[in-house]
Amino acid sequence: MQELEIPKEILSKYRSLIRYCSDKVNVEEKKELKKAFETAFVAHKNIKRKSGEPYILHPLSVAKIAAKEIGLGALAIKCALLHDVVEDSEIKLKEIENLFGKKVSNIIDGLTKISDLMDSANSIQAENFRKMLLTLSDDVNVILIKLADRLDNMRTLEHLEDRKRKKIASETLYIYAPLAHRLGLYSIKTELEDLSLKYTETEKYFEISRKLNETKNEREKYIKHFLKPIKSKIKKEGFSVSIKGRPKSIFSIRKKMSKQQINFEEVFDKFAIRIITNSSESNEKSDCWKIYSIVTDYYKPNPDRLRDWISTPKTNGYESLHTTVMGPGGHWVEVQIRSERMDQIAEKGLAAHWLYKNNKKDKKEDNLNKWINNIRELLESPEEDAVDFLNEFKLNLYSKEIFVFTPNGELITLPKDSTALDFAFSIHTELGKKCLGTKVNGKLVPISHKLKSGDQIEIISSEKQRPKENWLDFVITSKAKNKIKGSLNEGKKIIAEEGKEVLKRKLKHLKIPFTEKRINELQAYFKLQDSQELFYKIGTGKINNPDLKKYVESRESWYGFFKSKLTRKNNKSEKKESINNSDNVKKILRFGDEKNELEYKIASCCNPIPGDDVFGFITIEDGIKVHSYNCPNSIRLKTNFSYRTIEANWINVDDLEFSAILEIKGIDSTGVVNKITKIISTDMSVEMESINFKSKNGFFEGIVDIMVKNKIHIKKLIDRLKKIEGIKKVHRKLKS
Ligand code: MN
């Protein structure tokens, strides 16, 4: 690399970073850091942040946060310096790998992916979040650097436009602050929360911070008064302590105020202090208890409020002794007593814990790795801890989904309770259809095996495999269901085709002509829905020769009497069934982009028929209601509840008829009603269900209930009717 001209300001910031981590990186690592810094400098050259500063200052700040505030080592600092390089410049991941090795390029890749996920505007936060969490299992450094990145972005958020600020701030509150909390990075968590509040509830933030300032003196005075006798006693006993008024974050005050519906003053009815003793690790526990004893010599403790997190640390590593005592003037004061080491853990989390464990320099990195592994275990373990963890992230809201992987590590989201076969269909329809068996995490399992998050699935397929009827019993995704049904239907169609030919031959044998009428009769006799069903049953042999013979016998005895009745009744009842709101309505609409077959009802306010432009409206109690775009309710529904509407499309339904209402107005003249009914029933062969004409002052108004196939059908009819002399108006009426 040629000699770079790096501005002083930038160079001095870099040097301060190096100074800071000089005790935890060796000479070799320092060289690497320099290389990373120079690579980043070149990559971000001429790029400015929104604040107008050179961009390189951002990765430098992130690296410093990683080193100083999180306590990470050389690898993470290097990656922090490089974290935006691939995203923002021409430099490719491959080059990073060549320059810095696989480990670094993997981490950069993870960071870039998270950014992509977070930035894609139309994806939901929660979805991104989950994926982000899963990236963790690759390398926890990714998440820690991402936190550092976010912290610097939050610190410089004022330079962005308001809308963007709010988005980033709420994302921080929802995703990053809880993550920092879980990882034990308390001061980062607090800062993220406060900064988020500043941009999401600006007024409240400044109000609280103003009041904090205003009451500061008063509070400090009280604490001073409270501490006076204890302090000298502690000194006398030979302890070296520092005492802090416990800072309450603006965010936590805000939370308390809104959660308990109290005002600022009420939040501060309790004072809080922290006594930190500079004790060796071997003495710290007894020292803390000794100090406890001193405090309670002067002030009476509330026995219910004693918490010993020293004997039993919290799962995230927190150690401290808490008590609440009655101070002067009858005020409760919460006292936290802990050692320097415990305080570091409380502020910096487990990173500090591991670093404290062993102070030898070369051991530090090692301990850091242990810590990182520890977090990973925490996140991956199926035990209570992990459940707790998920709850903390409100993931229970999303527990309806699981996340599984393809053999090459691609993440697939499926509904909870999905089976291996659902997975196969989600990858590819053909893979689903030909799915013979599956391997989950390397083990052979049946295709009905229920998957759980984190499973890696391999599908074993066979060209000979075909979808089976019983597959429908265990798949749960609509894609798998539809594809299986579709494919079964296809198979059914072929069988039905064959069955039709078989039936033709058999009827010929029985000397019965193969006519539509006869087919209707057979269909009615065997109580089947349609002729396809009949052919299919013949094709599969479910209806066999003896069955057909029985039909012939019954036909011979009844035919003469019931011929007309049987067929007419059957036709009629089928039609009735197909009308609108009957439960047995055929599914002639498909919904959404995926053309899903869903339960629905036709809205009675507009009664749409095939061909009408329609949409589904998801009602709360009654499932999907299908409305016409012309429906008087449609605009209201579309504008107020657009998120509850779903695209609906008619499928081909030539064999069904639908009820519709015609309104006809015109000049009353002899024979006009006859002309109308002739056109409807004779010329157009449209069935009339009812007809009602009223005449007044030489004009008439008629309402005709008819059965039509679709919109085109009714349009033709209307056009014909309009041609009758004296007819002024013919139109389809929506509401009866
Ligand atoms: Mn960044």
Side-chain angles (χ1 to χ4, degrees):
M1 198 177 285
Q2 68 192 80
E3 200 53 39
L4 288 169
E5 261 183 58
I6 299 173
K8 253 196 189 138
E9 172 206 17
I10 294 168
L11 212 54
S12 85
K13 222 177 162 196
Y14 170 69
R15 287 194 181 123
S16 106
L17 168 73
I18 293 302
R19 258 198 313 280
Y20 185 78
C21 49
S22 61
D23 67 323
K24 52 177 150 186
V25 297
N26 57 35
V27 182
E28 202 50 46
E29 288 167 337
K30 239 173 238 175
K31 270 189 204 157
E32 282 274 291
L33 286 181
K34 183 151 191 258
K35 193 165 78 174
F37 166 62
E38 287 176 349
T39 308
F41 176 79
V42 173
H44 299 306
K45 211 177 170 185
N46 305 326
I47 302 172
K48 293 220 181 321
R49 297 194 85 186
K50 281 265 154 51
S51 60
E53 287 179 318
Y55 195 88
I56 185 70
L57 294 179
H58 166 63
L60 277 168
S61 299
V62 175
K64 187 142 186 202
I65 294 170
K68 192 177 163 188
E69 297 178 49
I70 307 182
L72 297 174
L75 172 67
I77 300 170
K78 205 160 41 181
C79 293
L81 285 169
L82 295 166
H83 83 273
D84 278 333
V85 162
V86 173
E87 210 184 342
D88 288 355
S89 78
E90 296 297 297
I91 297 177
K92 296 275 177 311
L93 203 59
K94 196 75 206 156
E95 290 168 63
I96 297 287
E97 190 185 330
N98 291 338
L99 283 168
F100 300 97
K102 190 80 189 154
K103 222 172 184 180
V104 170
S105 77
N106 275 345
I107 293 173
I108 302 296
D109 188 32
L111 285 162
T112 312
K113 275 182 189 146
I114 293 178
S115 297
D116 287 351
L117 286 168
M118 300 307 291
D119 291 348
S120 52
N122 40 13
S123 50
I124 338 153
Q125 287 176 357
E127 177 72 20
N128 298 335
F129 171 52
R130 274 186 242 119
K131 288 181 182 156
M132 189 174 83
L133 270 186
L134 282 153
T135 334
L136 274 173
S137 38
D138 284 349
D139 196 320
V140 181
N141 274 305
V142 171
I143 217 70
L144 295 170
I145 296 166
K146 191 65 208 172
L147 273 174
D149 181 32
R150 179 52 60 123
L151 182 57
D152 187 56
N153 285 336
M154 286 301 292
R155 282 174 180 170
T156 53
L157 200 58
E158 63 199 291
H159 304 292
L160 296 186
E161 54 182 296
D162 190 54
R163 195 182 50 82
K164 245 185 158 173
R165 280 201 296 232
K166 284 217 165 71
K167 179 183 178 272
I168 293 173
S170 31
E171 201 177 83
T172 300
L173 215 49
Y174 184 65
I175 294 170
Y176 293 95
L179 195 55
H181 177 74
R182 182 57 185 182
L183 301 181
L185 303 164
Y186 300 108
S187 34
I188 289 183
K189 173 216 167 205
T190 305
E191 193 178 345
L192 286 175
E193 282 176 344
D194 276 2
L195 287 168
S196 300
L197 188 71
K198 186 173 164 186
Y199 296 105
T200 51
E201 288 186 84
T202 311
E203 253 171 61
K204 271 272 170 294
Y205 173 87
F206 283 108
E207 188 195 320
I208 293 169
S209 98
R210 180 177 52 82
K211 282 187 173 162
L212 270 176
N213 268 329
E214 281 170 7
T215 55
K216 203 175 163 204
N217 283 341
E218 205 183 315
R219 279 180 290 130
E220 278 175 355
K221 228 161 105 189
Y222 180 84
I223 292 294
K224 219 172 165 184
H225 182 52
F226 172 87
L227 283 173
K228 213 176 169 188
I230 318 174
K231 244 181 166 172
S232 54
K233 178 80 181 178
I234 290 174
K235 224 175 169 182
K236 238 191 210 160
E237 296 286 327
F239 293 110
S240 142
V241 299
S242 60
I243 298 175
K244 294 183 196 167
R246 190 155 63 88
K248 247 190 159 74
S249 77
I250 297 178
F251 181 83
S252 71
I253 295 168
R254 168 71 187 132
K255 202 165 119 190
K256 207 162 184 183
M257 282 166 68
S258 65
K259 203 172 161 192
Q260 299 178 10
Q261 291 292 315
I262 53 178
N263 59 29
F264 179 86
E265 287 70 26
E266 286 167 299
V267 174
F268 276 95
D269 67 336
K270 205 165 86 178
F271 295 85
I273 57 157
R274 181 176 297 156
I275 303 173
I276 300 153
T277 158
N278 184 11
S279 305
S280 70
E281 235 182 298
S282 49
N283 289 334
E284 57 179 10
K285 187 176 175 185
S286 61
D287 285 359
C288 287
W289 281 106
K290 276 177 200 155
I291 292 166
Y292 169 84
S293 158
I294 294 170
V295 172
T296 52
D297 277 349
Y298 289 89
Y299 303 111
K300 204 171 169 43
N302 178 346
D304 292 340
R305 304 289 308 157
L306 177 65
R307 296 285 177 275
D308 175 10
W309 301 115
I310 295 180
S311 307
T312 343
K314 288 189 185 179
T315 46
N316 58 18
Y318 181 84
E319 294 171 67
S320 189
L321 193 60
H322 294 187
T323 181
T324 301
V325 300
M326 182 62 80
H331 293 291
W332 288 111
V333 180
E334 190 191 45
V335 185
Q336 300 183 345
I337 305 162
R338 58 173 78 147
S339 71
E340 197 80 57
R341 182 192 64 84
M342 297 173 194
D343 194 52
Q344 280 291 304
I345 292 173
E347 297 289 329
K348 277 196 188 171
L350 288 161
H353 175 71
W354 289 105
L355 291 174
Y356 258 94
K357 268 220 159 152
N358 203 318
N359 278 317
K360 265 188 229 139
K361 195 183 151 271
D362 54 330
K363 277 268 180 176
K364 274 193 179 176
E365 193 82 6
D366 207 39
N367 282 329
L368 197 69
N369 286 335
K370 272 191 201 151
W371 172 58
I372 284 172
N373 282 332
N374 189 286
I375 294 172
R376 192 183 310 171
E377 272 166 31
L378 214 64
L379 293 175
E380 285 174 351
S381 90
E383 253 92 274
E384 254 176 36
D385 260 355
V387 172
D388 207 352
F389 174 60
L390 294 182
N391 281 337
E392 233 174 289
F393 282 97
K394 306 179 178 79
L395 261 187
N396 49 352
L397 282 176
Y398 310 101
S399 63
K400 285 177 182 149
E401 289 176 351
I402 56 167
F403 313 99
V404 295
F405 295 92
T406 64
N408 48 28
E410 197 192 330
L411 176 70
I412 305 284
T413 310
L414 289 170
K416 196 178 165 233
D417 290 333
S418 286
T419 61
L421 188 58
D422 285 301
F423 171 85
F425 273 102
S426 81
I427 299 291
H428 198 282
T429 304
E430 286 311 305
L431 192 62
K433 284 182 185 170
K434 303 212 161 12
C435 179
L436 192 66
T438 44
K439 267 188 187 172
V440 170
N441 306 324
K443 256 194 216 151
L444 212 56
V445 297
I447 58 174
S448 59
H449 179 84
K450 266 188 195 169
L451 302 174
K452 57 182 195 316
S453 273
D455 281 347
Q456 191 159 34
I457 301 113
E458 193 186 321
I459 300 297
I460 302 159
S461 61
S462 156
E463 276 308 310
K464 284 185 190 143
Q465 179 69 304
R466 297 276 174 276
K468 304 274 188 304
E469 190 95 40
N470 74 336
W471 286 10
L472 290 169
D473 298 341
F474 56 82
V475 293
I476 65 149
T477 54
S478 55
K479 182 174 179 190
K481 272 188 187 155
N482 289 337
K483 297 292 178 191
I484 294 169
K485 272 186 204 160
S487 156
L488 289 172
N489 282 340
E490 241 169 64
K492 241 179 159 177
K493 242 187 230 161
I494 295 168
I495 295 172
E497 282 302 314
E498 291 165 5
K500 193 174 172 182
E501 294 309 310
V502 173
L503 183 64
K504 261 185 202 167
R505 281 202 306 273
K506 289 190 172 174
L507 290 182
K508 202 172 171 188
H509 206 75
L510 294 164
K511 305 214 161 38
I512 298 172
F514 185 88
T515 62
E516 207 183 321
K517 225 178 195 172
R518 207 71 53 200
I519 302 303
N520 283 341
E521 232 178 75
L522 274 161
Q523 190 189 313
Y525 175 81
F526 290 110
K527 298 191 175 63
L528 298 172
Q529 266 198 346
D530 52 32
S531 54
Q532 278 305 103
E533 194 76 27
L534 174 72
F535 299 148
Y536 175 71
K537 290 228 155 131
I538 304 264
T540 56
K542 280 200 179 119
I543 295 176
N544 51 23
N545 283 339
D547 294 329
L548 282 175
K549 285 217 176 87
K550 265 187 211 153
Y551 155 72
V552 175
E553 282 159 20
S554 77
R555 186 175 170 268
E556 274 158 5
S557 52
W558 293 96
Y559 190 59
F561 288 94
F562 288 95
K563 179 186 139 202
S564 57
K565 262 195 175 168
L566 185 65
T567 45
R568 274 210 59 196
K569 194 175 162 226
N570 177 53
N571 277 343
K572 188 105 180 172
S573 72
E574 204 202 349
K575 269 180 193 167
K576 274 269 187 270
E577 231 174 57
S578 69
I579 301 166
N580 312 337
N581 285 330
S582 154
D583 280 344
N584 294 324
V585 151
K586 286 203 178 167
K587 298 286 176 290
I588 50 164
L589 279 159
R590 295 288 183 270
F591 295 90
D593 294 339
E594 303 216 316
K595 306 273 177 285
N596 288 321
E597 199 176 304
L598 300 170
E599 291 292 319
Y600 65 89
K601 285 179 181 166
I602 297 287
S604 56
C605 49
C606 51
N607 228 358
I609 62 172
D612 284 343
D613 283 331
V614 289
F615 65 94
F617 182 72
I618 301 155
T619 64
I620 290 167
E621 283 174 349
D622 222 7
I624 297 176
K625 282 261 168 89
V626 176
H627 290 265
S628 155
Y629 273 83
N630 295 330
C631 174
N633 291 320
S634 124
I635 292 179
R636 186 178 57 87
L637 297 178
K638 281 244 154 200
T639 46
N640 293 338
F641 304 102
S642 65
Y643 60 95
R644 282 167 58 185
T645 61
I646 180 168
E647 195 193 313
N649 292 292
W650 301 99
I651 55 164
N652 239 352
V653 275
D654 273 352
D655 54 337
L656 293 178
E657 294 196 325
F658 302 84
S659 75
I661 304 159
L662 281 186
E663 191 170 36
I664 308 170
K665 287 180 185 172
I667 300 162
D668 198 5
S669 59
T670 29
V672 74
V673 174
N674 265 341
K675 278 182 199 159
I676 291 168
T677 54
K678 181 181 170 285
I679 285 176
I680 296 176
S681 66
T682 316
D683 297 1
M684 297 285 293
S685 347
V686 167
E687 190 179 329
M688 288 187 288
E689 298 269 283
S690 78
I691 177 163
N692 186 9
F693 276 82
K694 271 185 271 180
S695 182
K696 206 178 174 185
N697 303 332
F699 289 92
F700 77 87
E701 276 183 33
I703 300 283
V704 188
D705 285 2
I706 51 171
M707 297 293 290
V708 286
K709 283 188 191 304
N710 54 40
K711 198 182 170 184
I712 299 166
H713 195 191
I714 199 168
K715 173 107 190 344
K716 267 189 202 156
L717 177 62
I718 289 172
D719 288 346
R720 286 285 302 271
L721 290 172
K722 276 184 177 164
K723 287 187 184 134
I724 300 174
E725 214 189 299
I727 298 275
K728 293 284 175 211
K729 206 172 173 188
V730 184
H731 72 109
R732 185 168 145 216
K733 206 173 169 234
L734 289 185
K735 214 167 181 170
S736 51

